[in-house]
Amino acid sequence: MMNTGQLSNNKLLDMVFESTYYGIVIVDSHAKIQYISNKYCEFLNVERSTVIGEHVTNIIENTRLHLVVQIGKSEIADIHFLRGDFVIANRIPIIENKEIIGAIGTIMFRDLDDWNKMNSHIKEILTKHNFYKNERDVINGVKYSLHNLIGNSQEIQQLKELVKRVARGDISVLIRGESGTGKEIIAHSIHQLSGRSDKPLVKINCTSIPEHLLESELFGYEEGAFTGANKGGKIGKFQFADGGTVFLDEIGDMPQHMQVKLLRVLQEKEFEPVGSLYPKKLNVRVIAATNRPLEKLVEEKLFREDLFYRINAVQLFVPPLRDRIEDIPVLVDYFLKKVTARIGKRVTSVHPEVLSVIEQYNWPGNIRELENVIDAGVHLSNDEVIGKDALPDYLKRHNVKMKEESLKDIVEETEKKAIERALRRFKFDKKRVAETLGIGNSTLYDKIKKYQISDQ
């Protein structure tokens, strides 16, 4: 039997255990509680003074601590249903001189959501430091992680937090954003941080597969389903992803007859291969992405409304590059290091004048276009610093245009302030203002309207 005198100093035990575990309980060889932490008592909604000495099964529902005392075998990271929630519990026998004198039970996570949060956090850290094996990621279809979503702007930081929260669940996700913003990175990150990360991530580009082959590519076919069918049939991309994630890129371009079949997968968790007489069960998570206005497509009856609401359970928006200009310097540095490492050329930075040109450009092709510009700049540069001569011609032309527009802006701003000063000076007597400025009355009225100058 456990020496209870050794456990009488609850203050010392509290100092050790209250700060390290959500809950802890120690039982003797008869499975009677000798110590229980205050946190665990709060979770169980019991008074500590009333449970000391009680058999553990009378206090903790579904416990297995009394069995650990009997068998002497540890149970690590076991899922334990307790007070309407799942907790992650460890149970370890206490052995002295080869005799079981008790057992200790700890709650590592209060519920599965806590577990999933920590699991995603650990995966993110491991990926950031390249601890995951590339071979496994390639096999599972994962090429990117959240570490590849580069940026320090508030928009990107908020997006990263949303990705981590969404990844922990199993809900369908719709990723929206312009072409080249990084929607695929988001899809890969969700899968990689999810509980499905050890299963395949299968990408399906809804625009790249010919329409007459789309059904068999997605759902496979049975032997003899059509002329030329492979002997034994063929599994489709959805079945290959069973247990994992399907990433439907450019879902706005999916034909309507396939939208019906996808809706069945989402609603009934089953599909029918071409030529099959019976449906097959399927367990996949669906992540979709589009740069098209699905709401407008729904109004025009080009996209099913019921499917839209199914895939739109959670919506993530990837901002265009022009809306996060503050991320451009870090993106330029990232792509510069990436390109130079790939081709082995020593180019260390971009000229400040080049960075200014890049920051003023509108970037309709977003991140993908910026990477291509830096790639070209490294190849074309004759120095360790990328100068304006290494920029694509269209960026040079845009820079000239921007300079012209900037001069125009300066002139217009100067003109507006001169008119405002004159109006105040002559107490809004427009005739005198026009005479002083040397312009006609109608011209003055036109400029007041153009610059939206108040006439009071």
Side-chain angles (χ1 to χ4, degrees):
M1 185 172 179
M2 183 177 292
N3 184 350
T4 56
Q6 294 176 347
L7 296 176
S8 60
N9 192 351
N10 283 354
K11 184 176 180 181
L12 176 61
L13 293 176
D14 287 345
M15 289 174 62
V16 175
F17 294 136
E18 296 289 2
S19 61
T20 53
Y21 297 101
Y22 286 122
I24 188 165
V25 59
I26 301 175
V27 300
D28 61 18
S29 58
H30 299 292
K32 291 186 177 180
I33 297 174
Q34 300 299 309
Y35 172 85
I36 186 169
S37 64
N38 283 311
K39 283 185 178 179
Y40 207 170
C41 289
E42 290 173 9
F43 184 73
L44 296 171
N45 195 25
V46 297
E47 293 290 333
R48 180 153 71 172
S49 60
T50 65
V51 301
I52 300 297
E54 289 288 330
H55 196 276
V56 69
T57 56
N58 295 332
I59 305 302
I60 303 174
E61 62 179 320
N62 301 316
T63 184
R64 290 177 52 85
L65 207 53
H66 60 299
L67 301 177
V68 171
V69 171
Q70 296 173 15
I71 300 171
K73 184 178 180 182
S74 298
E75 296 181 353
I76 305 298
D78 186 43
I79 296 179
H80 180 180
F81 189 73
L82 181 62
R83 292 185 63 81
D85 254 321
F86 288 100
V87 300
I88 310 299
N90 293 335
R91 307 180 190 95
I92 303 170
I94 302 173
I95 301 175
E96 185 178 46
N97 297 327
K98 298 183 179 180
E99 180 185 354
I100 303 172
I101 63 171
I104 182 170
T106 60
I107 294 178
M108 304 300 295
F109 302 95
R110 288 170 293 186
D111 52 34
L112 287 182
D113 187 53
D114 255 348
W115 165 261
N116 286 329
K117 285 179 183 177
M118 182 59 70
N119 195 29
S120 293
H121 180 64
I122 291 172
K123 285 180 178 180
E124 182 189 5
I125 293 174
L126 292 177
T127 303
K128 184 176 181 179
H129 294 284
N130 297 318
F131 288 159
Y132 273 122
K133 293 182 180 179
N134 292 332
E135 292 85 355
R136 192 207 71 173
D137 289 343
V138 170
I139 292 172
N140 286 354
V142 177
K143 294 193 296 182
Y144 309 107
S145 70
L146 207 54
H147 182 55
N148 297 115
L149 187 61
I150 307 299
N152 298 319
S153 62
Q154 184 178 358
E155 293 85 354
I156 291 301
Q157 294 307 312
Q158 289 176 344
L159 180 58
K160 286 184 176 182
E161 288 303 313
L162 281 173
V163 168
K164 286 187 278 189
R165 286 163 56 189
V166 167
R168 295 193 292 265
D170 217 21
I171 197 168
S172 298
V173 180
L174 177 62
I175 306 168
R176 309 190 75 162
E178 297 176 9
S179 179
T181 51
K183 298 188 292 296
E184 187 168 354
I185 291 176
I186 301 298
H188 284 234
S189 300
I190 292 172
H191 175 78
Q192 190 267 325
L193 293 173
S194 75
R196 296 175 177 266
S197 59
D198 59 336
K199 299 293 184 180
L201 167 68
V202 177
K203 177 186 175 181
I204 300 169
N205 191 311
C206 299
T207 62
S208 64
I209 304 174
E211 186 172 339
H212 67 283
L213 297 177
L214 193 58
E215 183 173 1
S216 60
E217 283 291 316
L218 266 55
F219 302 117
Y221 55 82
E222 297 291 331
E223 182 175 352
F226 51 83
T227 303
N230 291 340
K231 186 177 181 181
K234 177 185 175 182
I235 68 169
K237 293 181 180 292
F238 269 82
Q239 190 173 350
F240 182 77
D242 194 25
T245 305
V246 170
F247 172 41
L248 295 170
D249 199 10
E250 307 298 347
I251 194 171
D253 297 310
M254 177 174 279
Q256 286 188 301
H257 75 281
M258 289 305 300
Q259 293 177 25
V260 177
K261 294 183 179 294
L262 175 59
L263 185 63
R264 181 175 181 180
V265 170
L266 294 172
Q267 287 181 333
E268 309 297 334
K269 307 295 182 184
E270 63 182 27
F271 72 102
E272 282 188 17
V274 177
S276 176
L277 298 177
Y278 306 101
K280 294 184 177 182
K281 287 295 180 182
L282 186 66
N283 173 24
V284 294
R285 182 184 197 177
V286 172
I287 300 174
T290 185
N291 60 4
R292 301 191 65 187
L294 291 185
E295 294 85 352
K296 186 176 181 181
L297 295 180
V298 169
E299 291 179 6
E300 296 172 351
K301 306 299 182 183
L302 297 175
F303 198 87
R304 291 183 63 95
E305 185 176 17
D306 45 6
L307 177 58
F308 172 69
Y309 289 120
R310 276 286 178 178
I311 63 173
N312 196 34
V314 172
Q315 187 173 136
L316 299 178
F317 177 72
V318 189
L321 184 55
R322 62 180 172 275
D323 287 349
R324 52 184 188 105
I325 299 300
E326 62 267 42
D327 286 335
I328 284 182
V330 68
L331 282 164
V332 167
D333 184 61
Y334 172 78
F335 290 134
L336 187 63
K337 290 176 180 177
K338 180 180 177 181
V339 175
T340 54
R342 187 181 75 239
I343 68 174
K345 185 175 181 180
R346 183 175 173 79
V347 179
T348 58
S349 62
V350 300
H351 193 279
E353 193 175 8
V354 170
L355 187 60
S356 177
V357 172
I358 289 174
E359 289 177 335
Q360 293 179 59
Y361 184 56
N362 200 40
W363 297 108
N366 292 292
I367 307 297
R368 189 181 297 126
E369 184 183 6
L370 176 60
E371 182 174 8
N372 290 338
V373 166
I374 300 302
D375 197 340
V378 171
H379 281 85
L380 296 174
S381 179
N382 293 318
D383 200 348
E384 290 187 9
V385 179
I386 297 178
K388 289 179 66 175
D389 58 328
L391 288 177
D393 288 340
Y394 72 90
L395 270 184
K396 296 175 186 175
R397 291 193 297 270
H398 180 268
N399 185 46
V400 172
K401 183 179 177 182
M402 284 297 295
K403 285 184 176 180
E404 292 173 352
E405 290 179 352
S406 296
L407 180 60
K408 180 183 176 184
D409 290 341
I410 292 171
V411 170
E412 289 184 345
E413 185 65 21
T414 303
E415 189 176 61
K416 177 183 177 182
K417 289 180 179 179
I419 294 172
E420 288 175 333
R421 284 196 300 269
L423 285 168
R424 288 193 297 269
R425 178 184 174 189
F426 296 107
K427 302 186 186 304
F428 295 93
D429 185 340
K430 297 180 178 64
K431 184 177 180 180
R432 291 186 65 187
V433 168
E435 290 175 353
T436 302
L437 295 176
I439 57 177
N441 288 341
S442 60
T443 301
L444 175 63
Y445 280 96
D446 289 339
K447 290 185 180 295
I448 289 174
K449 182 178 180 181
K450 174 183 177 180
Y451 297 131
Q452 297 180 336
I453 298 172
S454 174
D455 59 354
Q456 297 183 27

